[in-house]
Each structure stands twice: as structure tokens, then as C-alpha cells.
């Protein structure tokens, strides 16, 4: 049977964008419930400046509070060596560095140019790999930038290639503002796959224009087998004005399982997690799939 790997980013990409910061206990409960539902790679926090993203403060306590679980990897974002050191101290076995394909976004998000960020990641990769910690890479704004508009494909390819060459085992291509369409997604994947192995690419789509599922399907057809998603479609990026949530994990489970592609996720349990987190955030963000399944006669 075909299978797809879903990387759950709700506890990081989701919560980082919420006006209300959740307690460490609630964040731990969210991550553990996601693992109970069958998610195997879960981004649980970010070791970034709490002045820049207050919602991710106390990520060390979240990571420390998560018990070891066979087959489950908890990861966290690290923007620099300071973040990596905190992640290592908290026991992370995998971290992610994040670059952008647009200069304007790089400046707004991490306060440096693309070239400076790549230079900054080199010692992070060296130290993490030395410690036996796997590193994933992100490229933001692969299909458009909130500040500078269109982003040339070769720019995305160059950053993707740089992260892969540095030692990232996988590079997640982020349509941070959700402006991508399936044709553009296909062309982007093909161009990146000329530079790095297709098996090292992941797709990260936001649903601002309702295109996320269509873009995931296009990327799947182009050969991508790893996708980031967020329970209940939580998310956005604090440095990406107007961008809405990530594609909802429940929509991807429905999409893939419906085509006979295994996700390993129990949809009923996942829907319970969506209700749990929506209640905690006092939000009515239920995805279309969740609403439709709930309304279906038993
Ligand atoms: P800076 O101000 O240039 O940093 O920020 P600095 O090195 O000059 O240090 C300034 C202060 O920050 C110092 O503290 C440092 O100790 C502290 P002070 O002496 O003033 O008290 N500091 C840190 N504190 C905690 N953890 C750290 C850290 N590093 C320095 N790691 C920095 C540069 C990168 C730190 C800042 O810009 C930052 O934290 N940015 C994070 C932004 C962020 O998290 N954005 C959201 C994630 S990206 C995203 O969502 C996109 C993605 O989902 C993909 C997609 O959707 O496309 C991945
Ligand atoms: Mg994102």
C-alpha cells in the first residue's frame, strides 16, 4: 500500500499565530493527543526569541515534559546556535532550521539576509549532526512573499539546495502565504527535484486562498511523499500578514486515506484533538472535513 508521512505542525506553526498563549500543560496535552491519534513526527515548539514569538516561550518545558514514545519524533525550530543549545538541553532528537526564498521575508522573520541565515545555519548543522540530532530545513515564501510579491523559482531552488548540501535530511517547501496554485506547485517541485533528491522534499501549504489541498495533490502527483499539516487548520505566521492556517491535518487524512494512501492517523481520534484545541483557544475553527463528518448520519 502507498503511504504518506504527515508532519504535524499545529503545536508550533499553529499556536505561534494565536493571540492567546497556552500553558505548558495544555501544549503538552495537545502534542500527546496528536501522538495518540497516530501522528509520528510532531513539531512541539520553537527555540526562538520570546520577544519575537511569545507564544513559543517555554518550549523547553514542553519538550522536557513529553515522555519518550517509541516511533514518535518531537521536533522544534531553531534559528541559531543559541536555539540549538536550548533544544539539545531539552533533549530534542530532531530540530529544524528555517530560511526564506525572499529577502524581505528573511529580514522580517529572522532579522538577517538569506545569505546571513545560511551562514548562521552552518555551525548549527555541524553541531546538531555531531550530537546525532537530525536537522530538517524549511524554505518560506516558495510561491510568493507577503512583502515583495512573486518569488523566482531559481531563488527557491538555490536555498533548497544550500540547506540540503549543508546536511538537512529533508527540506520543507513552505507556501507561507498560501498564494500557490497547483500548476505553480508542480513546476516548483520539478525544479527543486532537479537540484536535490525528490525523496528529500516535503510540502508545507497554507490555505489562505483555499488552494492547500489542491496543491498537496499536485505535489503528491509530482512525487512528494511528506507533507506538513496542522490539526484543525491552526496557524499562520506572525511575520506574514494576512496568511491564514496551514492545511488541516484532518483534510489531508481524508484526502489520502480516500485514495488508498495510508497516513497511520486515526481520523476519529484526530477530530477529538481538533475539538480539544479549538475549545482551549476558544476558537470556532473546525475544518470542512470535521464539520461534514460530524454532520453525517451514523
Ligand atoms: P535578533 O534580535 O536579530 O537576535 O533576532 P540577536 O542575536 O541580536 O539577539 C537579540 C536577543 O535575542 C538577545 O537577548 C538574545 O539572547 C536573544 P537580549 O540580550 O536582548 O536579552 N536570542 C534568543 N532568545 C531565545 N532563543 C533564541 C535566541 N536567539 C537570540 N534562539 C532571532 C534574531 C532569529 C533570534 C529572531 O528574529 C527570532 O527569534 N525570530 C523567530 C521568528 C519566528 O519564529 N517566526 C516564525 C517561524 S517561521 C514560519 O512560521 C514559517 C514556516 O512555518 C514555513 C512556512 O510557513 O513557510 C517555518
Ligand atoms: Mg508555516
Amino acid at each position: 500500500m502507498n503511504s504518506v508521512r504527515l508532519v504535524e505542525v499545529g503545536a508550533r506553526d499553529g499556536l505561534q499565530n494565536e493571540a492567546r498563549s497556552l500553558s505548558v500543560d495544555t501544549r503538552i496535552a495537545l502534542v500527546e493527543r496528536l501522538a495518540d491519534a497516530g501522528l509520528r513526527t510532531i513539531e512541539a515548539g520553537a527555540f526562538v526569541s520570546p520577544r519575537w514569538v511569545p507564544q513559543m516561550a517555554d518550549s523547553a518545558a514542553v519538550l522536557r515534559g513529553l515522555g519518550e514514545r517509541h516511533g514518535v519524533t518531537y521536533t522544534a525550530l531553531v534559528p541559531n546556535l543559541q536555539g540549538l543549545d536550548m533544544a539539545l538541553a531539552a533533549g530534542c532528537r530532531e530540530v529544524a532550521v528555517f530560511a526564506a526564498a525572499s529577502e524581505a521575508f528573511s529580514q522580517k522573520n529572522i532579522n538577517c539576509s538569506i545569505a546571513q541565515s545560511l551562514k548562521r545555519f552552518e555551525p548549527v548543522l555541524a553541531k546538531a549532526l555531531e550530537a546525532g540530532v537530525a536537522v530538517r530545513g524549511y524554505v518560506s515564501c516558495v510561491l510568493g512573499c507577503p512583502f515583495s510579491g512573486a518569488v523566482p523559482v531559481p531563488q527557491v531552488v538555490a536555498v533548497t539546495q544550500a540547506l540540503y548540501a549543508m546536511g538537512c535530511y529533508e527540506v520543507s517547501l513552505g507556501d507561507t502565504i498560501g498564494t500557490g496554485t497547483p500548476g505553480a506547485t508542480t513546476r516548483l517541485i520539478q525544479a527543486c527535484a532537479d537540484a536535490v533528491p525528490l525523496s528529500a522534499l516535503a510540502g508545507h501549504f497554507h490555505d489562505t486562498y483555499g488552494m492547500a489541498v489542491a496543491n498537496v495533490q499536485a505535489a503528491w502527483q509530482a512525487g512528494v511523499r511528506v507533507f506538513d499539516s496542522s490539526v484543525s487548520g491552526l496557524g499562520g505566521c506572525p511575520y506574514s500578514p494576512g496568511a491564514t492556517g496551514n492545511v488541516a491535518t484532518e483534510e489531508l487524512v481524508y484526502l489520502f486515506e480516500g485514495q488508498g494512501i495510508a497516513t497511520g492517523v486515526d481520523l476519529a481520534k484526530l477530530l477529538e484533538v481538533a475539538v480539544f484545541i479549538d475549545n482551549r483557544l476558544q476558537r470556532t475553527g473546525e475544518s470542512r472535513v470535521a464539520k461534514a463528518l460530524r454532520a453525517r448520519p451514523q
Side-chain angles (χ1 to χ4, degrees), residues 12-13 16 43 46-53 77-80 82-84 86 98 105 108-111 120 138-141 173-177 204 206 236-239 246:
R12 192 278 303 171
D13 206 353
Q16 75 180 12
E43 225 171 50
F47 293 94
V48 298
S49 163
R51 275 198 220 164
W52 285 63
V53 187
L77 294 194
V78 298
N80 51 21
Q82 190 173 333
L84 175 68
M86 292 160 78
F98 49 108
F105 188 81
K108 296 266 187 200
N109 195 40
I110 51 175
N111 205 22
R120 192 180 279 177
Y138 277 105
V139 186
S140 294
C141 298
L173 301 171
D175 181 15
T176 315
I177 53 170
H204 178 115
H206 284 253
C237 175
Y239 295 97
N246 291 78

Side-chain angles (χ1 to χ4, degrees), residues 90-212:
C92 284
R93 304 306 306 152
E94 179 171 327
V95 296
V97 293
F98 49 108
S102 131
E103 284 295 348
F105 188 81
S106 184
Q107 290 290 352
K108 296 266 187 200
N109 195 40
I110 51 175
N111 205 22
C112 65
S113 69
I114 298 170
Q116 284 167 330
S117 74
L118 294 174
K119 200 89 204 121
R120 192 180 279 177
F121 296 152
E122 277 171 20
V124 174
L125 265 289
K127 190 165 183 177
L129 296 180
E130 175 74 26
V133 166
V135 185
R136 191 174 200 239
Y138 277 105
V139 186
S140 294
C141 298
V142 299
L143 291 165
C145 169
F147 308 107
S148 57
V151 173
V153 169
Q155 226 161 280
V156 182
V157 173
V159 179
T160 302
Q161 198 166 23
L163 290 174
Y164 183 73
M166 227 180 262
C168 291
Y169 77 92
E170 185 170 281
V171 180
S172 177
L173 301 171
D175 181 15
T176 315
I177 53 170
T179 43
T181 50
T185 299
T186 304
R187 285 190 291 279
L188 179 74
I189 301 296
Q190 286 168 346
C192 288
D194 283 341
V196 307
L198 193 50
S199 59
L201 294 174
H204 178 115
F205 295 98
H206 284 253
D207 207 26
T208 319
Y209 293 83
M211 292 291 112

Side-chain angles (χ1 to χ4, degrees), residues 216-232:
V216 167
Q217 182 70 14
W220 167 269
Q221 275 163 351
V224 175
R225 294 292 176 266
V226 184
F227 294 95
D228 303 347
S229 62
S230 176
V231 62
S232 195

